[in-house]
Amino acid sequence: SQQGEEDPQALSIQEGENATMNCSYKTSINNLQWYRQNSGRGLVHLILIRSNEREKHSGRLRVTLDTSKKSSSLLITASRAADTASYFCATDAGNFNKFYFGSGTKLNVKP
Amino acid sequence: EPEVTQTPSHQVTQMGQEVILRCVPISNHLYFYWYRQILGQKVEFLVSFYNNEISEKSEIFDDQFSVERPDGSNFTLKIRSTKLEDSAMYFCASRANYGTYEQYFGPGTRLTVT
């Protein structure tokens, strides 16, 4: 299956620390996206990285993509309690009509 | 800021009943999606829709499911005869146009089948 898989499944850190989450996938992609989901809510798009990009930044977020290893990482720097949420990677199926989500990393940032 | 809306936020129905979940995508978006998330599990793709027809569907999207864009603003998901295992959060998403890939999700409808 194409589905991305995140690790760790859960991560607990102190406010101010950095949080790193990883995503692995199985087949070729056009792009990879990261989403955040607060408990019981919808998904919020965070950042997209194209298959020909290796790194992308957006505010406190840094995403890397290694297509040779079929993996991506999301780094949240200087975490805040408000960053507490589940984070998912999503990959396309090569045609933008179908997207696969991983199981997510549940991040808990302790104040 | 434009957003995707979904109604109802919570639907309780009895097994075997039909339900219609409604979504209003962002107005100038062209691509529409339904996903579901069973409690504690991953978000699963159901179907994508473009130009008034289904672009792709998953194996979950069997004959019990259908989608429609009846009036140019609403995008609906119908489940004809609900089963207990259909209980989940259902998310609608929209994407602007060819060449943009970010999907914007609605807040979801929690469907409970009893």
Side-chain angles (χ1 to χ4, degrees):
Chain A
S1 122
Q2 169 72 349
Q3 289 155 331
E5 293 298 334
E6 292 91 340
D7 82 87
Q9 289 186 319
L11 182 61
S12 186
I13 59 174
Q14 291 292 138
E15 207 165 28
E17 293 180 339
N18 296 341
T20 299
M21 290 157 268
N22 303 296
C23 168
S24 59
Y25 57 92
K26 293 183 180 174
T27 63
S28 296
I29 60 170
N30 292 302
N31 62 72
L32 185 144
Q33 303 177 51
W34 284 90
Y35 287 83
R36 184 186 73 226
Q37 184 182 37
N38 289 84
S39 182
R41 308 286 295 275
L43 291 97
V44 175
H45 182 268
L46 294 175
I47 194 166
L48 176 150
I49 186 165
R50 299 173 195 264
S51 60
N52 61 354
E53 296 176 310
R54 292 296 165 258
E55 188 170 312
K56 201 160 182 183
H57 297 254
S58 176
R60 293 184 296 113
L61 306 180
R62 173 178 168 253
V63 169
T64 62
L65 179 65
D66 186 336
T67 53
S68 66
K69 295 180 180 175
K70 293 187 170 56
S71 68
S72 173
S73 68
L74 171 67
L75 168 67
I76 304 174
T77 59
S79 62
R80 304 167 183 165
D83 294 328
T84 295
S86 291
Y87 291 81
F88 297 87
C89 66
T91 55
D92 64 83
N95 60 12
F96 313 118
N97 289 324
K98 189 173 185 178
F99 293 86
Y100 296 94
F101 283 80
S103 303
T105 292
K106 188 172 280 192
L107 174 66
N108 180 32
V109 182
K110 294 177 280 189
Chain B
E1 187 175 327
E3 57 183 19
V4 177
T5 60
Q6 289 185 244
T7 54
S9 56
H10 191 189
Q11 172 95 43
V12 181
T13 190
Q14 289 191 321
M15 198 166 53
Q17 295 295 304
E18 174 184 287
V19 294
I20 297 177
L21 310 183
R22 300 180 195 279
C23 168
V24 179
I26 295 173
S27 64
N28 61 345
H29 283 194
L30 301 178
Y31 297 83
F32 313 111
Y33 306 84
W34 282 101
Y35 293 85
R36 79 171 186 192
Q37 186 180 32
I38 295 170
L39 187 65
Q41 298 188 24
K42 62 177 67 176
V43 175
E44 299 174 290
F45 168 82
L46 291 179
V47 66
S48 57
F49 192 85
Y50 169 72
N51 200 26
N52 284 320
E53 59 183 33
I54 290 174
S55 305
E56 187 132 6
K57 58 184 181 179
S58 72
E59 54 276 6
I60 301 168
F61 194 88
D62 61 22
D63 292 343
Q64 293 299 312
F65 291 86
S66 62
V67 289
E68 198 176 35
R69 189 158 159 79
D71 56 14
S73 62
N74 290 285
F75 179 50
T76 62
L77 174 69
K78 182 193 290 187
I79 309 174
R80 288 190 185 78
S81 178
T82 49
K83 307 183 188 80
L84 293 176
E85 54 266 35
D86 293 327
S87 294
M89 282 288 284
Y90 287 80
F91 295 105
C92 171
S94 68
R95 177 165 73 90
N97 52 43
Y98 184 82
T100 66
Y101 313 115
E102 294 87 346
Q103 295 176 81
Y104 293 85
F105 282 76
T109 292
R110 180 172 297 283
L111 177 65
T112 302
V113 183
T114 61

